[in-house]
Every structure is written in structure tokens, then in C-alpha cells.
Amino acid sequence: MAKFHVRACLRVKNRFNCIDATAKDVTVPETGSPVPEKSIPCPEGISPAKKKYWESAAGSKILPLFKTISLRTMDDMHLYSIGDAEIIRVTERLADIPATRLFPAHGTELPTSGLPENLTISVHAWVIRLPGRLIIIDTGIGNDRDRNGNPLFDHIHTDFAERLAGLGIDRNSVDTVIMTHLHIDHVGWNTHYDGTDWQPMFPHARYICSAPAIERWKNEPKRRTIYNDSIKPIVDAGLIHPMAGFDPTELGDGLTYTPTPGHSPDHASIILTSRGHHALFGGDIMHHPIQVSLPHWNSVFCEDPGGAENSRRRMLDWCAKNHALYLSSHFAGSSAGYIEQSTGRNYTWRFAAPLTMR
């Protein structure tokens, strides 16, 4: 069992990772090289729920990926500007993952990649303020949810909602919530628990996501809990606005819902254009900046590696040609930056400095 302690003002700077945070770490069993399913012994002294999860197939595959779960407690709200749009990142939590486990298919390339042994993954939401509009892209993990004992997600409790309110973001004024896809770390704050039942967190918003994804989550037993607490309440409230096609769809005010399948069959990215400036909210087409220069790298989470690479290359090309600000769902550091074309179809990544950090 590896033990991690409270980290105060942690600063890690290298070619691809840049973190500046005060974080509280939760002890999670540390593992070494990749191992076959269910070959990792269940650690002693954990709760019955976590033991049940650990012993399940899902736990043996997912839990050993992560070494540390970090709750970020400061310096986690970054501001950017694109034309008339103000864009704010609000972080929910951070987690460290061994590079060999995030990119298991590329182990032979890792030694020369320049990556550190462990990589930091961020989970956060993007808030867009436009004249007369208030939009949220992806809603993170959410509080108080039954996630079968998975310590990354199960019954966590953060002050994410309070920090949104502290930024002057009234949940009753949010008019649009866009989900790039319906994975567990992108839909949680769709809803909140009012003491009796799950209710829409943003009761006056239209919630936009893939129509096939809703049906898939509704009908797959392993997705049922996520569907019931994070999707069904907004469906029942009549707030869902499903995207049925596979072509880009205009959402108004310079926003375009653009299918980018591969990470999941229903994955989409969001283009923002304002006063001749461009931004792309990429969702999970990339999990780490190394994928900009090595776009053939797929993470362990990509369901269709070939499709994921195709979507990644298409969006890299679009960002480079349009000098678009790329806003990632999982990059640590500032989580945003620019993709520049070097030679041929080779690209480089440059982090963007936020206008302010609160």
C-alpha cells in the first residue's frame, strides 16, 4: 500500500505536466507494471464497498490505473477570452496515473517520449459566458453518487457547486449544458440530490448530448446507476435536447456541436467562434498533451482506437489552421493551449496562460 500525504503548494513543471495546487491526497493502492485482470490482491483494511469494487472486473481494470486522487483546494479557476466569450475552467478533482497505464499500447515508445513516470489528469467543467448566454460544457463527477465503491467517484463530496456560485454563476441562469459524451466524469453535476431524489442541477437549461448515447446508457445494465442519477432526471424533466445526426449542428451564438467518435461512439467536440476568433472544447479526443505530437497514441479509455485517432487528427488539423484555442477536458496545468503545425502532419503543443487564476 503506497501512502500519500497532504501536499501543500505542490509545483511540478516538466515538458508536458504543469501543476500548481494545494491538494489533499487519498491513499490508493499502488501497483507496478500492467497485470492481467483480477490478479491484483485486494488490500487489507478497506471498506466492504471498496472491497466489493476491487474484486469486481471493473475494479481490477480501472482502480489500479490511479495512484493518487487529489482534491484541489485553490488556484483552480482559470479565465480565458475568445471574442465576446468569457471562458472559465472550474476544477473538480485531480488524479495521478502511471504513463504506462494511460498509454498501455505504446510502452515501447514511452522511454523516448519525455514523459514522467506519473501523469496528472484533471476533471473539470468549462463555463462560457456570452452576452445573454450562460453555458456549461461537461459537468464532472458530481457529489454523493453510488459508484460501486470506486474511490475515484464513489460518494465523493466537493465544494464544486459552491465555487460555481462564488463565481456568480447562478445555476438557475444557466441556459445550456453540453455533454461531449456520457462517461461517468462528464455528467455528474447534471443533477443534485435534494434529500429525497435526484433533481436537475440547472433547471432552466437545455441539456445537449447524443441521442444514441442516451439509448445506450438507458439499456445497458452496467450504465443503469449513472443513467438513473445523472441522465434520467433531466429526461423526465423534459430538459434533454438529443443530437440525432452525425453532422455538425449549429447551437446558436457561434457554438457548433461536432461529432468526433472514437473515444466513445457518441463522442462530440464543441466549436466556439466569436468575432473571428475560434476555440475547440475537445472533450476526450486527447487525455494528455503528448497526443498532439504523437496523435497515433490512444489512451486506455478509447473504445475505438482507429476512430479516436481519425477524430484526433481531424481536430488537430482544424485547430492549427484556425489558430483555435484548444480547451481540454483532462489536461492538467492551464488545461488550454494552441496547436501549431510544424512539418507535414506534425504538430506541437503550447500551453496558454490564463488571463486570471482565482
Side-chain angles (χ1 to χ4, degrees), residues 28-357:
V28 174
E30 181 180 13
T31 63
S33 57
V35 294
E37 182 179 338
K38 292 193 175 183
S39 66
I40 303 170
C42 180
E44 298 178 0
I46 64 174
S47 69
K50 288 183 174 61
K51 182 176 181 180
K52 176 183 176 184
Y53 183 80
W54 184 275
E55 291 174 345
S56 71
S60 64
K61 289 179 178 179
I62 299 172
L63 179 59
L65 291 172
F66 294 91
K67 294 181 64 177
T68 314
I69 306 165
S70 305
L71 301 186
R72 194 164 189 163
T73 57
M74 62 176 287
D75 188 26
D76 59 352
M77 289 168 276
H78 290 188
L79 174 67
Y80 302 90
S81 178
I82 293 291
D84 292 326
E86 179 184 79
I87 302 169
I88 305 169
R89 186 199 72 182
V90 185
T91 303
E92 185 175 24
R93 78 181 338 187
L94 302 172
D96 295 335
I97 178 171
T100 54
R101 294 190 177 278
L102 183 59
F103 299 114
H106 306 286
T108 58
E109 299 171 83
L110 279 170
T112 58
S113 69
L115 290 178
E117 179 183 353
N118 298 307
L119 309 175
T120 299
I121 299 297
S122 175
V123 179
H124 50 261
W126 292 106
V127 178
I128 305 173
R129 283 191 174 118
L130 283 162
R133 299 287 305 274
L134 187 57
I135 301 151
I136 295 180
I137 296 180
D138 289 333
T139 62
I141 301 165
N143 281 353
D144 308 316
R145 285 150 215 276
D146 178 7
R147 295 296 181 252
N148 200 26
N150 184 336
L152 298 173
F153 310 120
D154 187 74
H155 289 94
I156 70 168
H157 198 89
T158 71
D159 62 349
F160 183 84
E162 289 77 10
R163 284 184 284 122
L164 278 180
L167 286 168
I169 300 167
D170 179 0
R171 68 186 186 89
N172 292 295
S173 298
V174 173
D175 59 80
T176 306
V177 175
I178 307 172
M179 292 162 273
T180 59
H181 58 302
L182 302 188
H183 283 175
I184 194 170
D185 53 336
H186 292 258
V187 299
W189 283 104
N190 286 351
T191 59
H192 70 104
Y193 193 68
D194 67 359
T196 303
D197 209 347
W198 295 102
Q199 303 293 342
M201 180 67 176
F202 309 102
H204 304 296
R206 57 173 180 161
Y207 286 74
I208 295 171
C209 67
S210 160
I214 295 173
E215 290 305 308
R216 191 156 63 103
W217 256 238
K218 180 180 179 180
N219 294 312
E220 288 187 12
K222 67 178 182 179
R223 313 283 190 185
R224 188 164 296 145
T225 301
I226 302 171
Y227 179 81
N228 286 340
D229 64 39
S230 298
I231 307 297
K232 187 175 184 294
I234 58 177
V235 172
D236 291 347
L239 300 177
I240 202 77
H241 286 248
M243 299 286 107
F246 294 95
D247 295 320
T249 302
E250 299 292 333
L251 303 177
D253 294 298
L255 288 163
T256 304
Y257 180 94
T258 304
T260 48
H263 173 71
S264 66
D266 46 79
H267 190 278
S269 301
I270 313 304
I271 291 173
L272 169 65
T273 300
S274 180
R275 290 196 300 162
H277 299 280
H278 306 282
L280 177 73
F281 299 85
D284 283 8
I285 62 172
M286 294 187 286
H287 283 79
H288 192 275
I290 188 67
Q291 293 173 280
V292 174
S293 56
L294 298 173
H296 65 284
W297 281 30
N298 289 300
S299 81
V300 67
F301 305 113
C302 291
E303 295 183 39
D304 173 11
E309 180 182 347
N310 289 338
S311 290
R312 188 176 306 118
R313 290 185 182 277
R314 181 162 53 91
M315 291 297 99
L316 287 170
D317 187 62
W318 186 89
C319 285
K321 287 180 178 178
N322 290 279
H323 192 60
L325 180 66
Y326 182 85
L327 300 125
S328 167
S329 290
H330 292 301
F331 291 6
S334 69
S335 303
Y338 291 94
I339 293 156
E340 298 168 346
Q341 193 162 5
S342 51
T343 57
R345 295 193 70 189
N346 297 319
Y347 304 93
T348 58
W349 170 259
R350 175 169 57 87
F351 274 107
L355 299 176
T356 59
M357 295 191 298

